[in-house]
Amino acid sequence: MTDGAPRRILLVEDEPGLVLTLTDRLRDEGYLVETAGDGETGLERAASERFDLVLLDVMLPRRNGFDMCRALRERDILTPVIMLTARGHVADKVSGLKLGADDYVTKPFEMVELLARIEAQLRRAPFALSAAGTYEFGSIRIDLRSAEVHRDGAEVELSAREFRLLCYLIEHRGATVSRDELLTEVWGYRAAPSTRTVDVHVAWLRQKIEPNPRHPQYLLTIHGLGYKFVG
Ligand code: CA
């Protein structure tokens, strides 16, 4: 699901040696790497530019990593976040995941482990679709780069969550996707809301993309199993 377009990673870390090492290695792996040395700058950049992933240190000047992560999620920005936590700070891991981080790596880490976790996050990110540019079905046109959806040429307002849900279902079109899978892959964090949350969001999405939301033709309910996108 990629045309080889390089993925953009934002590294938010204040330790110069680590910034250098990580940047070099990630660039060797073909990623585009941008850096921010404090949490405030990191937040500004992550909120105003499109990144495929954020690597986020916990102990940072101006705004710590937890705070930055929470602020991102409060703004409905769902870019995958991997937190870099200090060794042995179990509470750090729990806090990070509760605040909306998708994964964590404990310092000092093996580079291969970090790379594997980055790849895993990028695989599940809906923006893997973004290389394709646009996707169309019925009267709906999705611009994956700008994250805009148009219906008969008029813009439809989708929340970031609805957009991510729609992208995930489209990426798996033709397959039945369970509510649990959607919670894990779209909501991401482990402090998972109930599966009812999925139903509510699907209902909202249908209002926006279905010609007749009462009789969906694209976003189908597969009774007892989950949902399926066809189109
Ligand atoms: Ca630090």
Side-chain angles (χ1 to χ4, degrees):
M1 199 56 81
T2 171
D3 65 355
R7 303 302 194 81
R8 295 187 80 216
I9 295 178
L10 176 63
L11 169 63
V12 190
E13 169 65 66
D14 61 328
E15 196 183 309
L18 192 51
V19 171
L20 211 58
T21 313
L22 277 173
T23 305
D24 278 357
R25 184 59 197 272
L26 292 170
R27 285 182 180 151
D28 282 351
E29 295 290 323
Y31 296 113
L32 293 175
V33 185
E34 301 287 328
T35 61
D38 66 80
E40 196 60 42
T41 309
L43 178 61
E44 281 166 25
R45 295 205 62 178
S48 60
E49 300 171 48
R50 165 65 64 77
F51 289 98
D52 297 291
L53 184 110
V54 179
L55 281 180
L56 180 55
D57 186 27
V58 174
M59 297 298 289
L60 290 167
R62 296 181 74 198
R63 192 190 265 272
N64 73 40
F66 293 143
D67 198 38
M68 180 187 149
C69 188
R70 179 175 48 220
L72 267 186
R73 298 313 188 220
E74 280 171 0
R75 296 180 192 193
D76 234 358
I77 293 162
L78 302 173
T79 311
V81 171
I82 298 178
M83 307 228 39
L84 309 174
T85 66
R87 174 169 47 182
H89 288 195
V90 177
D92 280 5
K93 300 171 187 173
V94 176
S95 308
L97 295 173
K98 272 191 183 159
L99 294 174
D102 298 278
D103 203 356
Y104 58 84
V105 173
T106 307
K107 288 179 175 180
F109 46 80
E110 296 290 334
M111 196 59 84
V112 285
E113 186 195 352
L114 179 64
L115 291 172
R117 285 173 186 267
I118 290 172
E119 274 179 36
Q121 288 302 321
L122 291 176
R123 262 202 307 276
R124 51 166 269 213
F127 301 114
L129 267 177
S130 65
T134 60
Y135 188 85
E136 294 183 44
F137 60 94
S139 61
I140 304 289
R141 178 186 167 87
I142 304 172
D143 186 325
L144 296 148
R145 290 181 192 280
S146 62
E148 285 174 353
V149 177
H150 288 82
R151 179 175 187 159
D152 293 320
E155 188 169 356
V156 181
E157 291 289 335
L158 260 61
S159 71
R161 187 80 68 190
E162 288 165 350
F163 186 76
R164 190 162 167 167
L165 176 61
L166 179 59
C167 285
Y168 189 84
L169 288 164
I170 290 174
E171 273 199 325
H172 297 84
R173 57 191 173 277
T176 300
V177 182
S178 72
R179 289 171 177 82
D180 283 338
E181 178 178 344
L182 289 170
L183 276 178
T184 306
E185 299 297 330
V186 177
W187 273 258
Y189 36 94
R190 271 140 248 197
S194 83
T195 51
R196 173 78 188 130
T197 305
V198 177
D199 300 336
V200 170
H201 280 77
V202 165
W204 287 340
L205 205 45
R206 281 177 174 153
Q207 293 294 332
K208 297 176 181 182
I209 65 161
E210 289 284 354
N212 181 352
R214 286 165 165 273
H215 300 283
Q217 70 184 78
Y218 299 112
L219 215 173
L220 311 181
T221 300
I222 308 298
H223 287 289
L225 295 174
Y227 294 103
K228 174 157 85 175
F229 182 87
V230 290

